[in-house]
Amino acid sequence: MRAVAERTSERAAPYYRATGHEESVFLAAHSARLPVLLKGPTGCGKSRFVEAMAAKLDRDLVTVACNDETSAADLLGRWLVRGGDTVWQDGPVTRAVREGAILYLDEVAEAREDVIVVLHPLTDHRRALYVDRHAEELEAPPSFQLVASFNPGYRRGPKELKPSTRQRFVGIDFTYPEPPIEAEVVATEAQVELAVAKRLVVLARKIRALSELGLAETVSTRLLVGAARLIAGGIAPRVACAHAIVAPLTDDPEARGALQDLADLVF
Ligand code: ADP
């Protein structure tokens, strides 16, 4: 299996702080049986949002982390030899359609073209999945919801979603939340004092304003939560920033120095 699939059926709603109309748009798209594309940088709450929506709708969540080796067979299923028999094993997409779950294809643009082709009939009025190898055509039940995520700023190769694919989805934009909300998220997630969370957000704003460092991606809410957790665990704030913010962002000594200077200034 070259795609990592996970299944979550635990119903306890995770903490998710809404930042706009994303919840009502998602629920309306679900009622209208439209697939949803979450667009935004890494670590800004897309996966958490899907988990929260799955809990709200009381649905199982099947998550697939797509990568450039993810093939249609990985997602649909394959024949396996067990003992003397060949048995069919559903892949995560087939299982999610069969069971009427929420299917979350994380970083869908990373998947191979044959995957996108297989998804097309699922994203239009047919809501159908053709599992050729198993000679099966599945119609998605009303409870099924396709959600995909896409990071427009992430450029590792010529990875873009084609307009013909994008236009099949209702798009919801994600970005780092406004400072008071981001501080609230960091404080709640890491169980640190709000004052500490606010400082981390001040640092994040400074780093995000820097374009000259040539970072592949800038500091995410996830990194702030990580730094806050180290601080909550007794690590001095500057050291926490060095390990949880500066080191994950870059290996370049000059950029590291500049980022650490900012952290030292804020704390
Ligand atoms: P993405 O899927 O966009 O890469 P995640 O959903 O995994 O990012 O978010 C990373 C972390 O940031 C989460 O585990 C959570 O701690 C925190 N987070 C970001 N945004 C929110 C939010 N709006 N509400 C709650 N937690 C959030």
Side-chain angles (χ1 to χ4, degrees), residues 16 19 25 40 48 56 58 69-70 76 113 125 134 158-159 163 179 200 214 217 252:
Y16 176 73
T19 59
V25 172
R48 180 62 66 87
K56 192 166 200 136
D58 197 21
E69 288 184 46
T70 306
L76 294 183
E113 185 57 30
H125 64 280
H134 198 224
K159 296 289 167 63
L200 285 166
E217 280 216 88
D252 176 65

Side-chain angles (χ1 to χ4, degrees), residues 15-17 41-48 104 185 189 221-222 225:
Y15 165 67
Y16 176 73
R17 170 63 160 92
T42 186
C44 68
K46 300 185 294 298
S47 307
R48 180 62 66 87
Y104 180 42
V185 167
E189 280 286 285
T221 309
R222 175 188 290 124
V225 169

Side-chain angles (χ1 to χ4, degrees), residues 36-73:
V36 172
L37 181 66
L38 311 180
K39 290 192 285 175
T42 186
C44 68
K46 300 185 294 298
S47 307
R48 180 62 66 87
F49 171 68
V50 179
E51 288 163 22
M53 291 296 98
K56 192 166 200 136
L57 291 166
D58 197 21
R59 300 280 147 69
D60 280 356
L61 173 62
V62 176
T63 298
V64 180
C66 301
N67 60 54
D68 49 13
E69 288 184 46
T70 306
S71 68

Side-chain angles (χ1 to χ4, degrees), residues 16 26 30 42 73-74 78 89 92 108 137 161 178 180 186 215-216 220 234 238 246 256-257 260:
Y16 176 73
F26 185 96
H30 180 67
T42 186
D74 290 328
R78 48 169 52 97
Q89 190 180 53
V108 71
E137 180 182 330
L161 275 184
E178 288 299 308
V186 172
L215 302 174
S220 62
R238 290 181 180 187
V246 178
R256 287 180 76 130
Q260 189 63 48

Side-chain angles (χ1 to χ4, degrees), residues 18 142 148 164 212 240 258:
S164 58
E212 59 273 22

